[in-house]
Amino acid sequence: MSALPRPSRRVLVLFGATGDLAKRKLFPGFFHLFREGLMPEDFRVIGSGRHSPGTDDEFRERINESLQVHGRGELDEHWGGFASRLSFVASSAEDGVKAAGDQITALVPQCKESVASAGGS
């Protein structure tokens, strides 16, 4: 059985990125997949939530702490590569979909092009 090809470029937007589910399950899972070479070659994880952790570096520090407590193994040489792909945008339901989308699109300019080339609007 041959291995499936890895997708080339992806952006994952995680709403509720400062919540308990993300802390205990999602980010440890993403990091494990990254360590095993199962994430796309070029990816970004944009966390979004009502409660801003501060700067992107402070968000990365929160994820680092979560991985130390809830991850499958110790943080190793893969952490730097994973951390560099993490960023955060503060948003809430009151902001509306367009406002959140505009912030995310501004953060990753390739998002709009990728969506358009995939047949989205």
Side-chain angles (χ1 to χ4, degrees):
M1 179 179 223
S2 64
L4 295 173
R6 290 169 55 185
S8 60
R9 183 188 307 182
R10 298 292 184 261
V11 176
L12 174 74
V13 179
L14 180 60
F15 294 95
T18 56
D20 191 61
L21 177 64
K23 177 175 71 174
R24 292 176 177 270
K25 300 291 182 181
L26 298 178
F27 282 112
F30 295 150
F31 183 65
H32 176 73
L33 291 172
F34 178 74
R35 286 180 69 191
E36 296 299 318
L38 298 172
M39 291 293 278
E41 293 175 29
D42 181 16
F43 74 95
R44 294 279 304 266
V45 177
I46 302 173
S48 182
R50 293 176 293 171
H51 308 290
S52 174
T55 66
D56 284 347
D57 286 336
E58 290 169 323
F59 178 61
R60 292 178 186 116
E61 182 58 33
R62 284 179 113 178
I63 303 307
N64 183 294
E65 292 167 3
S66 295
L67 295 176
Q68 290 179 38
V69 175
H70 303 289
R72 291 185 179 186
E74 61 185 72
L75 297 176
D76 54 14
E77 69 276 4
H78 294 96
W79 168 249
F82 183 74
S84 68
R85 293 168 161 88
L86 302 174
S87 54
F88 189 86
V89 173
S91 67
S92 70
E94 292 80 32
D95 294 339
V97 173
K98 181 169 178 6
D102 289 346
Q103 288 181 326
I104 291 163
T105 300
L107 185 60
V108 182
Q110 303 90 346
C111 279
K112 200 172 226 178
E113 295 169 10
S114 297
V115 171
S117 67
S121 53

